[in-house]
Structure formats: C-alpha cells, structure tokens
Amino acid sequence: MNENFPYGYDVNAYIDKAFEQMKELYPWAKKEMFRKEWSYAIEQENGEYQYVTYFKWKDGQIDRNVLNCDGEEFIENIISHHNSWIEDENPVTETFDVPASCRCSGGWYLEVYRIQKHKLGGYSAFVQAGNRSAGGSRTFFIPPAYFKLPWEEFLDKYLELVSPGPFYVGRDDIEKAKGLKEFLGY
C-alpha cells in the first residue's frame, strides 16, 4: 500500500473519513448536505495515482484539479469544500450579544460579537469588525466536546478557538456577560 493512500484507492474511503471528521464539529451534518458541485477521484496521472477534484459550474463547465498531496491533505481539502456549506444548513434560532469592554483598536472597530444557537443543534460565535475601508465577519462553530468540560475549562478552550485577541472580547467580557453562561447551558 502506498503511504500517500493510507485508505487505498477507493475515493469513497476518503470522503467517508472527511465526513467522520466533520461530524465531530457538526453532529447534525448529513452527507446529503455536501455541495453537489464538488466530486472527487483517484486517477492515474503520468503513471502515478493522484487525488483529483472536480468542480462543476452552473454553466456546465468542469474544472479538474490534480492535487499533489497525501491522504490527510486530501481529506482536509474535502472538508474545506463543504464546511461553510454545512454551517449554512443549520440556521440560527437564538442569539446572545456579548458586550465588549474595548470596541476599537488600531483603527478597527468591533461591530458585532454574538453567540448563536442553531436549529439543528450546536453553538457558534459570530464576529464582525471593520475599519473605514475594509471589514469582514467570521463564524466559529464551537465543538460539542467543549460543552462537556467544566465552565472554566470551556472558557479556556473557547478563547483558544477565537484567538488571537479574540476581537477585543476577553475572558472578563465573557464572564461578565449576564445570562451567557445559562444561554450556553451551564
């Protein structure tokens, strides 16, 4: 067996491994939620087996990409193609806005820092920040395993997840947010 193909040459084994890993963060996920535009293969290219991705555009055009990677990198590729799509399949049902003691630093302004509860289960943190000419947002899904930890350990892991800096919201802000602990089920 080739070390770059630890699960053999059946691409479905790698898709299954990617899905297993995704289920750790998104326990509500179903394989049917994967984006239909992506497909995968293991094909011979210049006499050697390679991982291959295909993306089908709306106009029918198909992009083929031969990856020079090992099995774990291929699995990570599959996950990256689908994780935001799967996140979008789980709508927000409740939110908790976390007040920040510092809303501006280095010309960047924190616009939103919100903990979100989702319809199919799970929680995420949504952060939006910007300056006069640029900005952006990011959602951090909180791994379900974190909720099995005592509150103090949960906070440590959570702050590691959203660091560095975590967008001007520190441990004190999280601890002082009245009702957040209960919102998170603690």
Side-chain angles (χ1 to χ4, degrees), residues 22-83:
M22 292 179 84
K23 290 282 284 183
E24 291 174 18
L25 185 56
Y26 313 118
W28 67 87
K30 295 182 174 102
K31 240 191 225 177
E32 298 80 43
M33 293 177 174
F34 274 16
R35 293 182 68 186
K36 306 298 184 240
E37 296 88 352
W38 284 104
S39 59
Y40 307 95
I42 296 173
E43 300 173 353
Q44 281 198 343
E45 184 84 14
N46 299 325
E48 292 187 24
Y49 284 101
Q50 297 287 334
Y51 296 106
V52 181
T53 64
Y54 291 91
F55 186 83
K56 185 176 183 178
W57 296 92
K58 289 181 182 177
D59 66 3
Q61 178 183 335
I62 297 175
D63 288 344
R64 179 179 184 264
N65 188 20
V66 177
L67 305 176
N68 184 18
C69 66
D70 65 19
E72 289 308 310
E73 290 172 298
F74 183 57
I75 290 168
E76 289 171 20
N77 243 293
I78 294 169
I79 290 170
S80 73
H81 293 157
H82 302 286
N83 60 355

Side-chain angles (χ1 to χ4, degrees), residues 35-161:
R35 293 182 68 186
K36 306 298 184 240
E37 296 88 352
W38 284 104
S39 59
Y40 307 95
I42 296 173
E43 300 173 353
Q44 281 198 343
E45 184 84 14
N46 299 325
E48 292 187 24
Y49 284 101
Q50 297 287 334
Y51 296 106
V52 181
T53 64
Y54 291 91
F55 186 83
K56 185 176 183 178
W57 296 92
K58 289 181 182 177
D59 66 3
Q61 178 183 335
I62 297 175
D63 288 344
R64 179 179 184 264
N65 188 20
V66 177
L67 305 176
N68 184 18
C69 66
D70 65 19
E72 289 308 310
E73 290 172 298
F74 183 57
I75 290 168
E76 289 171 20
N77 243 293
I78 294 169
I79 290 170
S80 73
H81 293 157
H82 302 286
N83 60 355
S84 64
W85 192 261
I86 284 178
E87 289 174 3
D88 290 345
E89 292 289 313
N90 191 359
V92 173
T93 58
E94 290 181 63
T95 62
F96 187 100
D97 288 327
V98 178
S101 56
C102 174
R103 298 204 66 86
C104 188
S105 178
W108 283 83
Y109 179 75
L110 176 65
E111 297 165 3
V112 177
Y113 193 105
R114 176 179 300 144
I115 306 296
Q116 306 175 130
K117 187 185 257 185
H118 294 269
K119 180 178 182 177
L120 301 176
Y123 293 85
S124 64
F126 174 78
V127 181
Q128 185 172 320
N131 64 17
R132 288 181 175 206
S133 61
S137 63
R138 180 155 180 210
T139 300
F140 300 87
F141 266 82
I142 305 168
Y146 287 15
F147 292 94
K148 295 177 182 165
L149 300 170
W151 176 248
E152 293 298 319
E153 290 178 44
F154 169 85
L155 285 178
D156 292 339
K157 292 293 228 177
Y158 170 77
L159 291 170
E160 277 178 31
L161 176 70

